[in-house]
Amino acid sequence: MIVVSEISELKKIVSNWKQKKEIIGFCPTMGTLHAGHMDLVKVSKEKTTKTIVSIFINPTQFNDPKDFETYPKNTETDLKLCEENGVDLVFLPSVGVMYPKSETPIQMSIPSLQSTLCGRTRPGHFEGVLQIVSKLFHLTEANFGFFGLKDYQQYRIIKALTDELNFPIQIVGVPTKREADGLAMSSRNLRLSLKDRETATLIPRMFQLAKKTILSGERNLSVWREILTDFLLTGMNVKIDYLEVVDPFTLQPLSELRGDVLLATAVFVGDVRLIDNEIITCP
Ligand code: PAF
């Protein structure tokens, strides 16, 4: 496995691969890798001939400086995991390499897809994501980009970016990997205390309850949201950032429970913010 930190080194290898007609798969990450990230690698290896993983905690997508400072870092373990899972190249740049100037004159956004969910409660977050993934897509010249569907809004926004602006990359959404008790895998789970980790299972259990109540005939959206909100708030140390029901394509709020709906939530358990979502089909 090759590990590079400089853009010039990455470009040299990529250009060599391109000459050999390799198909490049790209899995962007912020490190502290887990089985969910390795699912991205697995799908990439099935679809492509070379897999690149980037590990970069992107400062421009953190609206809360404390969140950036406390974001976990585990480079040594990450590299080991990548090697064991057959990654061909890890790109591990510094902030100075990705952002040689302290300010960028470009601001990117897709307002219609950013007005709800995390876009509403984390102002500036998706602007930072769009900026970094655009740079990384160009540097890796990837044919395919793999993104976890736990970050469903991120997936939709990046897909819209690449479709609208004709980026020569195909975006693939990979299903959320879950722990045995249903909690969506996330690098942030590591920051939960033992007690809060237990409380966090309220999130997957809330999705079970959501499906059960729909199946048992609940059709009133406000009542449904109230039932689910009350359930989450039975947990100690729980604060709901949002619990929204939106159209899975436009991400706009829905006024009725009909067809496929995206139920998405962001919940603080202690001071750790966890997100999850599920597309639920209302009969
Ligand atoms: O999902 C993430 O880990 C990040 O938002 C990404 C896509 C690596 C961009 O920094």
Side-chain angles (χ1 to χ4, degrees):
M1 185 176 80
I2 310 165
V3 182
V4 296
S5 300
E6 295 297 330
I7 287 177
S8 56
E9 298 171 296
L10 173 67
K11 285 180 91 157
K12 214 158 116 192
I13 295 161
V14 165
S15 139
N16 182 268
W17 284 350
K18 285 283 167 182
Q19 270 170 29
K20 292 184 181 151
K21 305 264 180 282
E22 302 283 8
I23 309 292
I24 301 179
F26 175 46
C27 312
T29 81
M30 297 206 296
T32 306
L33 304 179
H34 48 68
H37 293 112
M38 290 310 116
D39 265 11
L40 306 184
V41 169
K42 185 164 165 259
V43 181
S44 172
K45 286 181 70 66
E46 283 161 9
K47 269 185 117 63
T48 71
T49 58
K50 293 286 180 195
T51 292
I52 300 180
V53 167
S54 64
I55 300 176
F56 179 63
I57 305 177
N58 174 36
T60 68
Q61 71 187 71
F62 285 83
N63 56 320
D64 174 1
K66 190 165 164 259
D67 192 22
F68 175 62
E69 278 154 31
T70 54
Y71 200 85
K73 278 190 202 76
N74 288 291
T75 313
E76 215 174 293
T77 330
D78 288 348
L79 292 177
K80 198 161 161 269
L81 205 56
C82 286
E83 176 118 57
E84 284 165 4
N85 284 271
V87 171
D88 297 285
L89 184 147
V90 175
F91 181 46
L92 195 64
S94 64
V95 173
V97 162
M98 290 316 291
Y99 300 116
K101 295 185 203 139
S102 56
E103 295 269 307
T104 171
I106 298 174
Q107 204 180 29
M108 303 176 75
S109 68
I110 308 180
S112 62
L113 294 177
Q114 289 174 214
S115 59
T116 52
L117 314 177
C118 295
R120 186 169 57 77
T121 65
R122 295 186 72 189
H125 169 65
F126 287 117
E127 282 82 349
V129 170
L130 286 168
Q131 176 186 28
I132 193 65
V133 296
S134 300
K135 283 165 83 85
L136 292 169
F137 287 165
H138 290 127
L139 296 175
T140 57
E141 295 184 44
N143 302 89
F144 292 91
F146 299 92
F147 289 84
L149 291 176
K150 177 175 75 69
D151 298 281
Y152 184 88
Q153 188 175 23
Q154 169 171 275
Y155 158 78
R156 271 294 299 128
I157 286 175
I158 292 170
K159 176 110 183 64
L161 165 83
T162 56
D163 287 350
E164 291 290 329
L165 298 184
N166 304 95
F167 279 35
I169 186 169
Q170 201 175 310
I171 301 303
V172 180
V174 178
T176 305
K177 184 99 174 167
R178 296 180 180 280
E179 303 286 357
D181 59 12
L183 184 66
M185 286 191 184
S186 163
S187 310
R188 292 174 194 269
N189 293 353
L190 280 181
R191 290 186 42 222
L192 292 166
S193 69
L194 223 57
K195 207 158 172 20
D196 287 347
R197 171 65 186 79
E198 213 173 285
T199 305
T201 63
L202 277 170
I203 302 170
R205 287 192 281 137
M206 184 272 292
F207 284 102
Q208 295 300 331
L209 178 64
K211 283 179 279 190
K212 214 169 106 193
T213 43
I214 286 287
L215 279 178
S216 65
E218 184 56 67
R219 286 294 170 275
N220 185 315
L221 199 146
S222 326
V223 172
W224 193 48
R225 276 191 63 197
E226 214 171 287
I227 293 170
L228 303 177
T229 303
D230 288 348
F231 181 75
L232 282 175
L233 292 177
T234 57
M236 282 268 288
N237 258 349
V238 169
K239 202 177 113 218
I240 300 174
D241 187 27
Y242 65 74
L243 176 69
E244 287 189 44
V245 183
V246 299
D247 179 283
F249 188 75
T250 64
L251 304 185
Q252 290 311 299
L254 291 171
S255 53
E256 56 178 6
L257 291 172
R258 188 166 344 144
D260 284 351
V261 304
L262 180 81
L263 175 66
T265 192
V267 174
F268 285 97
V269 183
D271 63 350
V272 183
R273 186 176 178 277
L274 303 172
I275 60 170
D276 202 350
N277 68 80
E278 214 166 299
I279 294 180
I280 295 176
T281 303
C282 305

